[in-house]
Amino acid sequence: MFDEMAPLAQMQRVDGRAGAVIGAGGRLKRLWQKGSGKAMLPRMHGRAPEVVFLNTAGGLTGGDRLAYALEVEAGAAAVGTTQTAERAYLSRDGAARVETRLTVGAGARLHWLPQEVIVFEGAALDRRLGVEMAGDAELVLLETLVLGRAAMGERLTQIALTDRREVIRDGRVAMVEAIRLGPDDLARAGAAGLSGAVAVATLSLFAPDAVDRLARLRAVLPGGGAVRAAASGWDGRIVARFVAAEAWPLRVAVARAVQSLTEGPLPRVWQT
């Protein structure tokens, strides 16, 4: 009666979707959510509305799907963020996929400031972010990766990460960035590798006056030590890169840079 091997249990997979449309005056025009994907709008006073996305599954593993969408209509302003850091766990069955779609109308302003993605040993993660924005709109984009859990002394040796970001501005491609991180990249030194860094971030600004803000941003970037950072500006955009040996110093440096670019407070969930 014990000769046959029981089949492997089919694990439940995450299928979460959430999105919102913000109209003029910060009015919520539409909100939707499904499965583990949630979108919340905390009560704000004297600030642009904040749309806070949350994955109630508590993390992602192979086969999971998560999709967020945020549209800011013409003349409106909003901040998009996540309630906490997302976690990519060990995967034994393909990659988890996260898709984000952002739309910014004419004269609108969107600051997309999600918290970190923490990548665990053995994680497989495929992320895609796509933006369509008007030429006179303002967009701030932040993406932060933390490789491993410092408190547990974890140093990653096996991951499969792909990340693609695309910005279409006034109908033309303004930015395409695609990265792939695997085991070899974790140990590779030099400009093409991480050189031991465990936390990295990219902060971008697209706006008609973007280059005018470059000097102000550079003034708050760390000059060395635990975090290395540099920024450049051209053609209505700024891109700043950060690398660090620890996650917390990077978070502090990024927060300072975000406040410099936006001239406003951080999302409220960042401060709790």
Side-chain angles (χ1 to χ4, degrees), residues 188-207:
R188 183 179 293 124
L194 293 174
S195 298
V198 300
V200 296
T202 299
L203 177 64
S204 306
L205 166 68
F206 297 83

Side-chain angles (χ1 to χ4, degrees), residues 1-9:
M1 61 182 294
F2 297 107
D3 292 339
E4 293 187 8
M5 182 178 294
L8 293 174

